[in-house]
CSV table of all heavy atoms in Angstrom, one decimal:
chain,number,residue,atom,x,y,z
E,27,SER,N,73.1,78.1,-102.8
E,27,SER,CA,72.7,78.9,-104.0
E,27,SER,C,73.9,79.7,-104.5
E,27,SER,O,74.6,80.3,-103.7
E,27,SER,CB,71.6,79.8,-103.5
E,27,SER,OG,71.2,80.7,-104.6
E,28,GLY,N,74.1,79.6,-105.8
E,28,GLY,CA,75.2,80.4,-106.4
E,28,GLY,C,76.5,79.5,-106.6
E,28,GLY,O,77.3,79.9,-107.4
E,29,HIS,N,76.5,78.4,-105.9
E,29,HIS,CA,77.7,77.6,-106.1
E,29,HIS,C,77.5,76.8,-107.4
E,29,HIS,O,76.4,76.4,-107.7
E,29,HIS,CB,77.9,76.6,-104.9
E,29,HIS,CG,78.5,77.2,-103.8
E,29,HIS,ND1,78.8,76.5,-102.6
E,29,HIS,CD2,78.8,78.5,-103.5
E,29,HIS,CE1,79.4,77.3,-101.7
E,29,HIS,NE2,79.4,78.5,-102.2
E,30,ASN,N,78.6,76.6,-108.1
E,30,ASN,CA,78.4,75.9,-109.4
E,30,ASN,C,79.2,74.6,-109.5
E,30,ASN,O,79.3,74.0,-110.5
E,30,ASN,CB,78.8,76.8,-110.6
E,30,ASN,CG,80.3,77.2,-110.5
E,30,ASN,OD1,80.9,77.0,-109.5
E,30,ASN,ND2,80.7,77.9,-111.6
E,31,SER,N,79.8,74.2,-108.4
E,31,SER,CA,80.5,72.9,-108.3
E,31,SER,C,79.9,72.0,-107.2
E,31,SER,O,79.6,72.6,-106.1
E,31,SER,CB,82.0,73.0,-108.1
E,31,SER,OG,82.6,73.6,-109.2
E,32,LEU,N,79.7,70.8,-107.5
E,32,LEU,CA,79.0,69.9,-106.5
E,32,LEU,C,79.8,68.6,-106.5
E,32,LEU,O,80.2,68.0,-107.5
E,32,LEU,CB,77.6,69.7,-106.9
E,32,LEU,CG,76.8,68.8,-105.9
E,32,LEU,CD1,75.3,69.4,-105.8
E,32,LEU,CD2,76.7,67.4,-106.3
E,33,PHE,N,80.0,68.1,-105.3
E,33,PHE,CA,80.8,66.9,-105.0
E,33,PHE,C,80.0,65.9,-104.2
E,33,PHE,O,79.3,66.2,-103.3
E,33,PHE,CB,82.0,67.3,-104.2
E,33,PHE,CG,82.8,68.4,-104.8
E,33,PHE,CD1,82.4,69.7,-104.7
E,33,PHE,CD2,84.0,68.1,-105.5
E,33,PHE,CE1,83.2,70.7,-105.2
E,33,PHE,CE2,84.7,69.2,-106.1
E,33,PHE,CZ,84.3,70.5,-105.9
E,34,TRP,N,80.2,64.6,-104.5
E,34,TRP,CA,79.6,63.5,-103.7
E,34,TRP,C,80.8,62.7,-103.1
E,34,TRP,O,81.7,62.3,-103.9
E,34,TRP,CB,78.8,62.6,-104.6
E,34,TRP,CG,77.4,63.1,-104.9
E,34,TRP,CD1,76.9,63.6,-106.0
E,34,TRP,CD2,76.3,63.0,-104.0
E,34,TRP,NE1,75.6,64.0,-105.9
E,34,TRP,CE2,75.2,63.6,-104.7
E,34,TRP,CE3,76.1,62.6,-102.6
E,34,TRP,CZ2,73.9,63.7,-104.1
E,34,TRP,CZ3,74.8,62.7,-102.1
E,34,TRP,CH2,73.8,63.3,-102.8
E,35,TYR,N,80.8,62.5,-101.8
E,35,TYR,CA,81.8,61.8,-101.1
E,35,TYR,C,81.1,60.6,-100.4
E,35,TYR,O,80.0,60.7,-100.0
E,35,TYR,CB,82.5,62.6,-100.1
E,35,TYR,CG,83.4,63.7,-100.6
E,35,TYR,CD1,82.9,65.0,-100.9
E,35,TYR,CD2,84.8,63.5,-100.8
E,35,TYR,CE1,83.8,66.0,-101.3
E,35,TYR,CE2,85.6,64.5,-101.3
E,35,TYR,CZ,85.1,65.7,-101.5
E,35,TYR,OH,86.0,66.7,-102.0
E,36,ARG,N,82.0,59.6,-100.1
E,36,ARG,CA,81.5,58.5,-99.3
E,36,ARG,C,82.5,58.4,-98.1
E,36,ARG,O,83.8,58.4,-98.4
E,36,ARG,CB,81.5,57.2,-100.1
E,36,ARG,CG,81.1,56.0,-99.3
E,36,ARG,CD,80.9,54.8,-100.1
E,36,ARG,NE,82.1,54.3,-100.8
E,36,ARG,CZ,82.1,53.3,-101.6
E,36,ARG,NH1,81.0,52.5,-101.8
E,36,ARG,NH2,83.2,52.9,-102.2
E,37,GLN,N,82.0,58.2,-96.9
E,37,GLN,CA,82.9,58.1,-95.8
E,37,GLN,C,82.7,56.8,-95.0
E,37,GLN,O,81.5,56.5,-94.6
E,37,GLN,CB,82.8,59.2,-94.8
E,37,GLN,CG,83.8,59.2,-93.6
E,37,GLN,CD,83.6,60.4,-92.7
E,37,GLN,OE1,82.5,60.8,-92.4
E,37,GLN,NE2,84.7,61.0,-92.2
E,38,THR,N,83.7,55.9,-94.9
E,38,THR,CA,83.6,54.7,-94.1
E,38,THR,C,84.8,54.6,-93.2
E,38,THR,O,85.8,55.3,-93.4
E,38,THR,CB,83.6,53.5,-95.0
E,38,THR,OG1,84.9,53.5,-95.8
E,38,THR,CG2,82.5,53.5,-96.0
E,39,MET,N,84.7,53.8,-92.2
E,39,MET,CA,85.8,53.6,-91.3
E,39,MET,C,87.0,53.1,-92.0
E,39,MET,O,88.2,53.5,-91.7
E,39,MET,CB,85.4,52.7,-90.1
E,39,MET,CG,84.4,53.3,-89.1
E,39,MET,SD,85.2,54.6,-88.1
E,39,MET,CE,86.3,53.6,-87.1
E,40,MET,N,86.8,52.1,-92.9
E,40,MET,CA,87.9,51.4,-93.5
E,40,MET,C,88.6,52.3,-94.6
E,40,MET,O,89.8,52.2,-94.7
E,40,MET,CB,87.4,50.1,-94.2
E,40,MET,CG,86.9,49.1,-93.2
E,40,MET,SD,88.2,48.5,-92.2
E,40,MET,CE,89.3,47.7,-93.4
E,41,ARG,N,87.9,53.1,-95.3
E,41,ARG,CA,88.4,53.8,-96.5
E,41,ARG,C,88.5,55.3,-96.3
E,41,ARG,O,89.0,56.0,-97.2
E,41,ARG,CB,87.6,53.4,-97.7
E,41,ARG,CG,87.6,51.9,-98.0
E,41,ARG,CD,86.7,51.6,-99.2
E,41,ARG,NE,87.2,52.1,-100.4
E,41,ARG,CZ,87.9,51.4,-101.3
E,41,ARG,NH1,88.2,50.2,-101.1
E,41,ARG,NH2,88.4,52.0,-102.4
E,42,GLY,N,88.0,55.8,-95.2
E,42,GLY,CA,88.0,57.2,-95.0
E,42,GLY,C,87.1,57.9,-95.9
E,42,GLY,O,86.0,57.4,-96.3
E,43,LEU,N,87.5,59.1,-96.3
E,43,LEU,CA,86.6,60.0,-97.1
E,43,LEU,C,87.0,59.9,-98.6
E,43,LEU,O,88.2,60.2,-99.0
E,43,LEU,CB,86.8,61.4,-96.7
E,43,LEU,CG,85.8,62.5,-97.1
E,43,LEU,CD1,84.4,62.1,-96.6
E,43,LEU,CD2,86.2,63.8,-96.6
E,44,GLU,N,86.1,59.4,-99.4
E,44,GLU,CA,86.5,59.1,-100.8
E,44,GLU,C,85.6,60.0,-101.7
E,44,GLU,O,84.4,60.1,-101.5
E,44,GLU,CB,86.1,57.7,-101.2
E,44,GLU,CG,86.8,56.6,-100.4
E,44,GLU,CD,86.3,55.3,-100.8
E,44,GLU,OE1,85.2,54.9,-100.2
E,44,GLU,OE2,86.9,54.6,-101.7
E,45,LEU,N,86.2,60.7,-102.7
E,45,LEU,CA,85.4,61.4,-103.7
E,45,LEU,C,84.8,60.5,-104.7
E,45,LEU,O,85.6,59.7,-105.3
E,45,LEU,CB,86.3,62.4,-104.4
E,45,LEU,CG,85.7,63.2,-105.5
E,45,LEU,CD1,84.6,64.2,-105.0
E,45,LEU,CD2,86.7,64.0,-106.3
E,46,LEU,N,83.5,60.5,-104.9
E,46,LEU,CA,82.9,59.6,-105.9
E,46,LEU,C,82.8,60.3,-107.2
E,46,LEU,O,83.2,59.8,-108.2
E,46,LEU,CB,81.5,59.3,-105.4
E,46,LEU,CG,81.4,58.5,-104.0
E,46,LEU,CD1,79.9,58.3,-103.6
E,46,LEU,CD2,82.1,57.2,-104.1
E,47,ILE,N,82.3,61.5,-107.2
E,47,ILE,CA,82.1,62.3,-108.5
E,47,ILE,C,82.0,63.7,-108.2
E,47,ILE,O,81.6,64.1,-107.1
E,47,ILE,CB,80.8,61.8,-109.2
E,47,ILE,CG1,80.6,62.4,-110.6
E,47,ILE,CG2,79.6,62.0,-108.3
E,47,ILE,CD1,79.5,61.8,-111.4
E,48,TYR,N,82.4,64.6,-109.2
E,48,TYR,CA,82.0,66.0,-109.0
E,48,TYR,C,81.6,66.6,-110.3
E,48,TYR,O,82.0,66.2,-111.4
E,48,TYR,CB,83.2,66.8,-108.3
E,48,TYR,CG,84.3,67.3,-109.1
E,48,TYR,CD1,84.2,68.6,-109.7
E,48,TYR,CD2,85.4,66.6,-109.4
E,48,TYR,CE1,85.2,69.2,-110.4
E,48,TYR,CE2,86.5,67.1,-110.1
E,48,TYR,CZ,86.4,68.4,-110.6
E,48,TYR,OH,87.4,69.0,-111.3
E,49,PHE,N,80.7,67.6,-110.2
E,49,PHE,CA,80.1,68.3,-111.3
E,49,PHE,C,80.6,69.7,-111.2
E,49,PHE,O,80.8,70.3,-110.2
E,49,PHE,CB,78.6,68.3,-111.1
E,49,PHE,CG,77.9,67.0,-111.2
E,49,PHE,CD1,77.8,66.2,-110.1
E,49,PHE,CD2,77.4,66.5,-112.4
E,49,PHE,CE1,77.2,64.9,-110.1
E,49,PHE,CE2,76.7,65.3,-112.5
E,49,PHE,CZ,76.6,64.5,-111.3
E,50,ASN,N,80.7,70.3,-112.4
E,50,ASN,CA,81.0,71.7,-112.6
E,50,ASN,C,80.0,72.2,-113.6
E,50,ASN,O,79.9,71.7,-114.7
E,50,ASN,CB,82.4,72.0,-113.0
E,50,ASN,CG,82.7,73.5,-113.0
E,50,ASN,OD1,83.0,74.1,-114.0
E,50,ASN,ND2,82.7,74.1,-111.8
E,51,ASN,N,79.2,73.2,-113.2
E,51,ASN,CA,78.1,73.8,-114.1
E,51,ASN,C,77.2,72.6,-114.6
E,51,ASN,O,76.9,72.6,-115.8
E,51,ASN,CB,78.7,74.6,-115.2
E,51,ASN,CG,79.4,75.8,-114.8
E,51,ASN,OD1,78.9,76.5,-113.8
E,51,ASN,ND2,80.5,76.2,-115.4
E,52,ASN,N,76.9,71.7,-113.7
E,52,ASN,CA,75.9,70.6,-114.0
E,52,ASN,C,76.5,69.5,-114.8
E,52,ASN,O,75.8,68.5,-115.1
E,52,ASN,CB,74.6,71.1,-114.6
E,52,ASN,CG,74.0,72.3,-113.9
E,52,ASN,OD1,74.3,72.5,-112.7
E,52,ASN,ND2,73.2,73.0,-114.6
E,53,VAL,N,77.8,69.6,-115.2
E,53,VAL,CA,78.4,68.6,-116.0
E,53,VAL,C,79.4,67.8,-115.2
E,53,VAL,O,80.2,68.3,-114.4
E,53,VAL,CB,79.2,69.3,-117.2
E,53,VAL,CG1,79.9,68.3,-118.0
E,53,VAL,CG2,78.3,70.1,-118.0
E,54,PRO,N,79.3,66.4,-115.3
E,54,PRO,CA,80.2,65.6,-114.5
E,54,PRO,C,81.6,65.8,-115.1
E,54,PRO,O,81.9,65.6,-116.3
E,54,PRO,CB,79.7,64.2,-114.8
E,54,PRO,CG,78.9,64.3,-116.0
E,54,PRO,CD,78.3,65.6,-116.1
Side-chain angles (χ1 to χ4, degrees):
Chain E
S27 177
H29 283 188
N30 61 351
S31 293
L32 183 141
F33 307 79
W34 282 102
Y35 290 90
R36 178 172 65 178
Q37 185 179 38
T38 61
M39 289 290 291
M40 293 296 295
R41 300 173 70 94
L43 195 63
E44 303 173 276
L45 176 67
L46 300 177
I47 185 171
Y48 86 92
F49 296 85
N50 186 245
N51 294 324
N52 312 337
V53 176

